[in-house]
Amino acid sequence: PEGGRRRTLFSTPRTQNARLDRTIPPLLATLLCCNLSLLLVLATMSRLHRPPYVDPTTNICFDCDNSDYEGWLTKQSMWLKDWRRRYFILKGSKLFFAKSEHDAPHGMIDLSTCTTVKSADLKSRKRNSFEISTHETTFLIYADTEKEKDDWIGSVGRAIVRCSSTYQRETSSGGGPGGGAAAAGGGGGGQNRDYGEPGDDDDDSVYSNDSNNPYFN
């Protein structure tokens, strides 16, 4: 009828845009929540299931989950001698390192073959640095803070001691600080492993088998 309201058979572009404006925000919010939930699940799975380290020589797989100690350190490369930031995982007698927290480790230090762990600020010319030594190789590493350095030296040192069948206290005639150096006997050859020697350049690298020394606590 004349003057009445005409019924629209087809939606105009303005009507369609209005409907889209009402529909898109809830849809985007739903998609965003789903993506965030998926990322959270993936991150949780990555933390729970770290890929193992595969020894390139023996193809033996080493589980790296449930570490004893882990964190970021900067390590000097063996060949180019440049400094590379790596994520270190200490588990038992093995110290693994990877390019990131969730990557599979690409390197391993067998602490059962190590002889010393001690401060190395003078040798490396880096603050908060320490060295882990075997009879053939010395690994130079530095931490972000002095506390992290001390924690790593303590954790690695205790792991080395646990690898040894016995350890004994050596006392010097002076009896002053640093007079007793902790030594651990090797499994087969009765070889001493000194955790810092009084003649070393870094003066904070001597550890004694003392109940008050946090290194053995």
Side-chain angles (χ1 to χ4, degrees):
E2 192 172 332
R5 195 172 185 179
R6 291 185 178 181
R7 184 175 298 175
T8 303
L9 298 180
F10 300 99
S11 299
T12 63
R14 181 178 298 177
T15 305
Q16 292 175 352
N17 289 338
R19 290 176 180 173
L20 288 175
D21 290 341
R22 291 193 302 270
T23 305
I24 288 177
L27 180 61
L28 289 177
T30 302
L31 291 174
L32 181 60
C33 289
C34 291
N35 289 335
L36 289 176
S37 299
L38 180 60
L39 290 174
L40 182 61
V41 170
L42 292 176
T44 303
M45 291 178 63
S46 298
R47 286 196 298 268
L48 294 177
H49 303 287
R50 178 181 287 121
Y53 169 75
V54 181
D55 191 310
T57 304
T58 63
N59 288 328
I60 296 175
C61 292
F62 294 88
D63 179 34
C64 299
D65 282 331
N66 303 316
S67 65
D68 301 324
Y69 196 74
E70 60 183 77
W72 286 101
L73 294 168
T74 303
K75 170 184 168 295
Q76 188 181 62
S77 66
M78 298 303 299
W79 304 110
L80 298 178
K81 301 301 181 183
D82 56 346
W83 294 93
R84 300 174 182 178
R85 192 162 175 81
R86 295 290 184 256
Y87 194 81
F88 280 75
I89 305 112
L90 173 63
K91 183 171 183 179
S93 63
K94 304 294 187 292
L95 182 61
F96 307 96
F97 50 92
K99 292 183 178 180
S100 77
E101 183 177 355
H102 305 301
D103 285 349
H106 63 276
M108 180 185 75
I109 302 173
D110 187 356
L111 299 179
S112 65
T113 66
C114 291
T115 57
T116 59
V117 54
K118 57 187 178 182
S119 178
D121 287 8
L122 296 180
K123 180 182 291 188
S124 67
R125 297 183 179 180
K126 298 284 185 181
R127 296 182 61 182
N128 307 320
S129 66
F130 60 96
E131 65 179 67
I132 303 173
S133 301
T134 68
H135 290 293
E136 295 84 16
T137 309
T138 296
F139 301 91
L140 290 176
I141 303 168
Y142 70 83
D144 293 337
T145 66
E146 185 177 2
K147 182 182 183 304
E148 291 178 1
K149 166 191 170 180
D150 293 339
D151 290 344
W152 273 107
I153 289 178
S155 298
V156 171
R158 285 188 291 270
I160 293 175
V161 170
R162 286 195 297 268
C163 293
S164 305
S165 57
T166 59
Y167 67 93
Q168 63 185 8
R169 173 189 281 181
E170 292 183 353
T171 56
S172 66
S173 57
Q191 196 168 20
N192 286 338
R193 296 176 176 176
D194 298 327
Y195 296 91
E197 299 173 1
D200 288 342
D201 292 334
D202 293 311
D203 58 0
D204 59 345
S205 62
V206 179
Y207 297 90
S208 61
N209 182 8
D210 193 314
S211 59
N212 295 323
N213 193 327
Y215 177 72
F216 287 97
N217 292 339

